[in-house]
Amino acid sequence: MIDKTIYHTPQKPEDPDAPYLTVQETAWVMKCSVNTVRRKLRTIRRGGGPGRRILVSREERKALHAGGIKARYPAGRKPVAA
């Protein structure tokens, strides 16, 4: 069975300023979830479909950042342990 958790986990990119990053690397750079990046990409893109690798360009990362993707926790603040 294929482990699909890697598709939902942010991953540290080798070069955060690369021309193209995967959705997982973009989520790592923007400090948000992979699903948040995918949801926001749907608002700025048209087309695409399941089964394709999604790459995010620098311009799209700028648009995502300007569109309001923010870190889950503000700088210096950590989540409260339950």
Side-chain angles (χ1 to χ4, degrees):
M1 185 155 194
I2 298 173
D3 181 19
K4 295 185 180 182
T5 59
I6 61 169
Y7 298 119
H8 302 287
T9 306
Q11 297 175 359
K12 185 175 182 179
E14 289 181 20
D15 179 15
D17 196 35
Y20 293 94
L21 295 177
T22 64
V23 173
Q24 292 80 13
E25 292 170 338
T26 302
W28 178 276
V29 170
M30 299 211 168
K31 297 178 182 151
C32 64
S33 72
V34 173
N35 287 336
T36 299
V37 173
R38 287 188 178 137
R39 188 174 56 248
K40 295 293 184 175
L41 278 174
R42 277 188 294 239
T43 64
I44 65 170
R45 282 187 177 181
R46 294 188 184 262
R52 302 279 183 205
R53 185 173 190 177
I54 302 170
L55 295 177
V56 183
S57 69
R58 278 190 195 128
E59 292 77 25
E60 289 173 327
R61 290 194 305 265
K62 287 179 186 177
L64 291 173
H65 184 68
I69 286 189
K70 295 187 172 61
R72 243 183 253 178
Y73 305 104
R77 188 169 173 213
K78 296 182 181 178
V80 177

